[in-house]
Each structure stands twice: as C-alpha cells, then as structure tokens.
Amino acid sequence: MKIRHRYLYIVGLLGSLTFGALATPVTHDEEHHDDVMTAVEKGLIKPYSALQHKVSQQLSARIIKVELNEDNGEWIYELKLIDTENNIIKVEYQAQSLQMLNIKGRHLENVIRAPK
C-alpha cells in the first residue's frame, strides 16, 4: 500500500507542477509576438507563406525549423532545412525582402536550385 500512496503523491505533485507551469504567463513570447505583429503591419516582415514559396524556388530541402529574430531594427528569418540525404542546411533570409543572406551546410551543390 505504501508504494501506491507514493505513486499517487508523485502523480499529484507532477500534476500540480504541470498545472503551475501552464498557468505561468510567458511574457517574453507574448512581447515577441506583439513585436512581430507590429513589424508585419509596418511591412518590415514578409509572411511565412511567402518565405516558404521563396525557399521552394531556391532550395530543394524541407524546412524543419524557423526562427525570426530582430537585431537593430532588421528582422532575419533563420531556417534549418534537411535535404534528401539528411544533410542539415542553415539559411538566413532578410525578412523584409526575403533575400538570402547566408547559407551553410554540406553538399550545397545538391540543394541550391538553378534560377529560372
């Protein structure tokens, strides 16, 4: 019986910790979201759908991670992609123009598409 009570205590403790974590406000993310929405409204950031289209035109790899960061008023999309050979490629795009700024990875000759 004691083992069962300990189990219930642990489950209860984990449940209360999980509830506490979910109930805690995430101020940083909310502020970042507000900044992003303001930047989109001002035309400083192209929408993600436009970025996806641009990537599909330029690269033959699948997006697996996207980050959007602001540095001194300039917004940058930082992407991680994976190609058909499971190579990871890191790419940065200027968020307003969707101009590729940087690309790193192995076998890029197999990933970069020729311009049409």
Side-chain angles (χ1 to χ4, degrees):
M1 280 306 248
K2 289 184 181 181
I3 294 172
R4 186 175 228 177
H5 290 296
R6 285 184 189 158
Y7 175 76
L8 292 175
Y9 174 75
I10 291 171
V11 170
L13 179 63
L14 289 175
S16 65
L17 291 175
T18 303
F19 178 75
L22 293 175
T24 305
V26 184
T27 314
H28 177 70
D29 287 344
E30 289 174 3
E31 289 174 4
H32 184 69
H33 178 67
D34 291 344
D35 293 344
V36 169
M37 294 306 293
T38 301
V40 169
E41 289 170 2
K42 291 181 178 180
L44 301 175
I45 299 173
K46 296 276 189 205
Y48 177 69
S49 59
L51 175 67
Q52 284 180 305
H53 181 71
K54 185 70 146 184
V55 170
S56 70
Q57 287 179 327
Q58 294 180 334
L59 306 170
S60 34
R62 185 171 48 95
I63 299 171
I64 57 174
K65 183 178 180 182
V66 177
E67 289 185 31
L68 179 60
N69 296 307
E70 189 261 342
D71 186 28
N72 294 327
E74 183 176 22
W75 289 90
I76 306 292
Y77 278 114
E78 296 176 3
L79 309 176
K80 255 188 201 177
L81 298 97
I82 190 166
D83 69 6
T84 57
E85 301 296 319
N86 291 326
N87 294 306
I88 300 295
I89 295 95
K90 294 182 180 182
V91 187
E92 292 182 355
Y93 283 89
Q94 201 281 337
Q96 186 173 22
S97 66
L98 296 183
Q99 176 185 1
M100 187 186 299
L101 301 173
N102 192 11
I103 185 167
K104 296 178 189 176
R106 293 179 166 210
H107 306 291
L108 293 176
E109 66 276 4
N110 299 329
V111 175
I112 299 173
R113 296 179 191 238
K116 295 179 182 181

